[in-house]
Amino acid sequence: MSTEQTHAQHAAPNSPVPARLIAAAALTALEGLALAGLGVYLLVMGLLGDPDSPQQAETGGVTLLALALLPLAAAHGLRLRRRWARGPALITQLMAVPVSWTLIDTGGGVLAGGIALAAAALTALVLLVSPTTTQALGAGPRGA
């Protein structure tokens, strides 16, 4: 039996998944889906649209699709109570905070997106470090 399976058993696998963990997984998945959607949009516009630089749009689209894999995998792992998923989910939120600040600072049409991203990232961070989530993932202090 792997260490992760042992920790998952200590997290009471038969008990319901805490709402905080479900909410963190949902926010992380939403961010991943937004990245994937933007990636598809850029890719399609690079191939079929008339951007200033089709190659740059296509490269950006492929990059965003690749980046979307991290939060989507993390969200899936959180939903399944996999301890490993907490790290990638935290990284996703920590990367989203400066991106949201840049969007907010830019203003205009992206202001609302920046505010929404900041709210989602900060909320997910709080949820991911909450004792309830930590305990559900079996990621608490060793020997506890």
Side-chain angles (χ1 to χ4, degrees), residues 32-60:
L33 291 172
L35 277 173
L38 186 56
V40 168
Y41 172 78
L42 286 176
L43 194 56
V44 169
M45 291 310 294
L47 295 170
L48 304 175
D50 190 24
D52 292 337
S53 171
Q55 183 178 9
Q56 189 175 7
E58 293 163 9
T59 302

Side-chain angles (χ1 to χ4, degrees), residues 89-116:
L90 286 168
I91 290 167
T92 297
Q93 307 319 318
L94 292 173
M95 288 174 23
V97 171
V99 171
S100 67
W101 179 255
T102 301
L103 293 173
I104 291 168
D105 195 44
T106 300
V110 295
L111 178 64
I115 293 170

Side-chain angles (χ1 to χ4, degrees), residues 3 6-7 10 83 134-135 138-144:
T3 305
T6 303
H7 287 294
H10 293 299
R83 190 172 72 142
T134 303
Q135 184 180 10
R142 304 277 184 216

